[in-house]
Amino acid sequence: MAELMRGLEGVIAAETKISSIIDSQLTYAGYDIDDLTENAQFEEVVFLLWNYRLPNEEELKTLKEKLYNYMTLSPRMYSHFEEYTTDKVHPMTALRTSVSYLAHFDDDADENDEEAMRERAIRIQAKIASLVTSFARVRQGKQPVKPDPSLSYAANFLYMLRGEKPTDVEVEGFNKALILHADHELNASAFTARCTVSSLSDMYSGIAAAVGSLKGPLHGGANEQVMRMLFEIGSIDKVDAYLENAFANKQKVMGFGHRVYKNGDPRAKYLKEMSRKITEETGQKELFEMSVKIADIIKEEKGLLPNVDFYSATVYHSMGIEHDLFTPIFAVSRTAGWTAHILEQLANNRIIRPRANYIGETNRKYEPIEAR
Ligand code: COA
């Protein structure tokens, strides 16, 4: 049997044209993430991940119209949220359930032909923004906000969340954040999505499973934990003591390290700059200064660099977004990648079924219960 690679480190488990990480540089379908972050709209990136090429004007217009049209949810979905609110569930738990529940409103949820799947990908990408924002409002006793057809996906998300039109600066920053989180080669949740549909299960199952995978603090859940850490530390003079204690207890510091990037995460520089700007604009400079101090110490002591989750935390916090919505926002963006991976997996499917090295006992005989 082949050698065990713990955590599947270095194992090539799929072929993809969606995104690549080569020499610490991330590209989506051959376009450098820097180029896309500087120039593109999230909707163009969504199209790119699904089609391996950028849309023309007509294609972009059609995609935007469909995204807007699909954003409305069934009234039953809104009333369902009230139950989650009573139970005080985490928004990622609510999202996992509600993605699954979306399938109830799709008459041909199990229809896996390519055209149906592509339409379903648009539907899920649209509705996931409404799921996150309307859950966030319903739990505060507020009415969900209908999307505005004149707004981009990024702007509509902020509008549906807060009920007020966001500023251009906010939309620009949020659009960049969505692009930066949209895909990341064979990360844990994309692999989960591919595994799930490789049995020819449906797209909703793949996305619900991926949401469950992203939720963990070693993956997308890290951004919420970063904010929790910053608040626990409280002020810049307490950073040294906090980290000394964390190192002494062999605690992982959230927002640092990466399986693939050992020389730095190419997404982090944008989020760092956004964090610097927005914390200053909103009078929360100390949060940025604390973050930089933490990053300097961790680099010095552990040789680890910030990943995508570290500075995104202060960016979202400074936009007034509740901390437990950070990971759901990651999910909204990563849905573009998950759906792309599902489409790609099913276009050339073989069930994903690796082997395990059995290390348990052998040659045992059944013992009657009274003899155990
Ligand atoms: N804080 C402290 N030490 C860390 C660390 C962190 N955030 N990330 C890695 N390390 C240490 C490990 O403990 C290990 O040390 P050891 O060799 O003494 O055991 C070493 O660095 C190598 O890390 P490893 O555990 O092999 O990394 P991995 O590839 O298995 O895991 C992550 C990658 C991302 C899961 C891991 O870095 C981590 O847990 N980071 C914090 C969570 C996070 O930010 N996740 C978001 C990822 S985008």
Side-chain angles (χ1 to χ4, degrees):
M1 189 136 14
E3 188 192 348
L4 167 71
M5 306 302 285
R6 282 194 75 234
L8 299 185
E9 182 168 5
V11 171
I12 306 291
E15 285 186 321
T16 186
K17 291 193 272 180
I18 304 169
S19 65
S20 69
I21 304 166
I22 299 171
D23 295 333
S24 295
Q25 196 50 43
L26 174 62
T27 64
Y28 293 164
Y31 291 91
D32 201 308
I33 188 76
D34 290 340
D35 194 6
L36 294 170
T37 306
E38 297 290 351
N39 299 306
Q41 221 180 25
F42 178 63
E43 291 91 322
E44 292 177 273
V45 170
V46 171
F47 186 99
L48 174 68
L49 298 176
W50 290 341
N51 298 284
Y52 313 123
R53 65 175 178 84
L54 287 167
N56 62 30
E57 230 168 276
E58 193 55 36
E59 288 166 330
L60 184 60
K61 186 168 165 271
T62 307
L63 175 62
K64 284 181 165 186
E65 279 169 7
K66 284 190 176 184
L67 284 169
Y68 162 73
N69 286 330
Y70 282 140
M71 273 177 182
T72 306
L73 299 173
S74 156
R76 277 167 60 203
M77 183 61 89
Y78 297 121
S79 51
H80 201 65
F81 282 149
E82 277 158 24
E83 282 174 38
Y84 307 169
T85 306
T86 322
D87 295 341
K88 292 202 167 32
V89 296
H90 189 281
M92 277 303 273
T93 301
L95 185 63
R96 192 187 55 217
T97 312
S98 52
V99 164
S100 190
Y101 192 39
L102 274 185
H104 297 215
F105 307 100
D106 183 342
D107 291 342
D108 60 356
D110 289 311
E111 180 53 70
N112 272 3
D113 82 66
E114 199 191 329
E115 209 178 309
M117 295 281 288
R118 286 181 169 271
E119 202 61 22
R120 190 165 307 117
I122 305 175
R123 195 179 309 180
I124 296 175
Q125 184 68 60
K127 292 195 188 301
I128 199 151
S130 314
L131 292 177
V132 171
T133 53
S134 45
F135 173 73
R137 292 184 67 84
V138 170
R139 73 173 175 172
Q140 290 180 342
K142 294 179 183 158
Q143 283 297 313
V145 173
K146 287 202 172 77
D148 179 328
S150 70
L151 298 181
S152 66
Y153 189 95
N156 251 327
F157 183 92
L158 293 173
Y159 175 55
M160 291 193 289
L161 183 66
R162 306 194 299 211
E164 283 165 20
K165 298 269 167 72
T167 65
D168 290 348
V169 175
E170 284 177 322
V171 174
E172 193 195 327
F174 199 68
N175 180 66
K176 282 190 191 337
L178 290 179
I179 292 175
L180 289 167
H181 289 82
D183 195 51
H184 205 220
E185 201 225 46
L186 208 53
N187 56 88
S189 55
F191 185 56
T192 301
R194 289 185 88 121
C195 281
T196 304
V197 300
S198 79
S199 68
L200 299 185
S201 186
D202 65 291
M203 192 178 258
Y204 296 98
S205 299
I207 302 296
V211 170
S213 168
L214 187 78
K215 179 173 180 281
L218 297 190
H219 192 7
N223 53 13
E224 181 185 347
Q225 299 306 322
V226 168
M227 213 57 231
R228 181 175 289 193
M229 171 177 75
L230 291 175
F231 272 66
E232 207 179 311
I233 297 174
S235 57
I236 197 156
D237 55 303
K238 302 212 174 86
V239 166
D240 295 276
Y242 178 91
L243 289 179
E244 259 170 47
N245 185 50
F247 297 154
N249 292 310
K250 298 212 174 309
Q251 226 175 286
K252 282 204 168 162
V253 185
M254 293 294 125
F256 288 87
H258 201 277
R259 170 63 61 79
V260 181
Y261 302 118
K262 300 300 175 196
N263 300 318
D265 184 328
R267 303 165 294 178
K269 59 180 179 291
Y270 288 102
L271 293 155
K272 180 177 180 184
E273 181 50 21
M274 273 190 242
S275 169
R276 187 191 63 73
K277 255 196 200 160
I278 194 165
T279 50
E280 195 168 326
E281 274 166 19
T282 54
Q284 302 178 82
K285 224 166 131 189
E286 194 180 7
L287 281 176
F288 180 73
E289 286 162 357
M290 267 167 78
S291 305
V292 172
K293 184 165 182 188
I294 293 169
D296 287 346
I297 296 175
I298 294 190
K299 186 175 175 201
E300 176 79 20
E301 297 287 323
K302 297 272 169 192
L304 294 168
L305 295 161
N307 57 47
V308 72
D309 290 309
F310 187 61
Y311 288 106
S312 64
T314 37
V315 169
Y316 296 148
H317 168 81
S318 305
M319 285 180 174
I321 295 172
E322 293 166 281
H323 300 170
D324 60 2
L325 297 178
F326 294 179
T327 314
I329 288 173
F330 192 157
V332 165
S333 163
R334 188 55 62 84
T335 293
W338 293 333
T339 44
H341 279 277
I342 289 172
L343 291 169
E344 192 175 67
Q345 178 67 32
L346 291 177
N348 185 19
N349 187 54
R350 190 167 186 219
I351 191 162
I352 298 175
R353 202 301 183 195
R355 296 297 308 276
N357 192 12
Y358 179 68
I359 55 165
E361 296 200 33
T362 55
N363 292 323
R364 301 167 101 183
K365 289 271 179 284
Y366 179 81
E367 295 146 352
I369 197 157
E370 59 281 6
R372 285 175 227 156

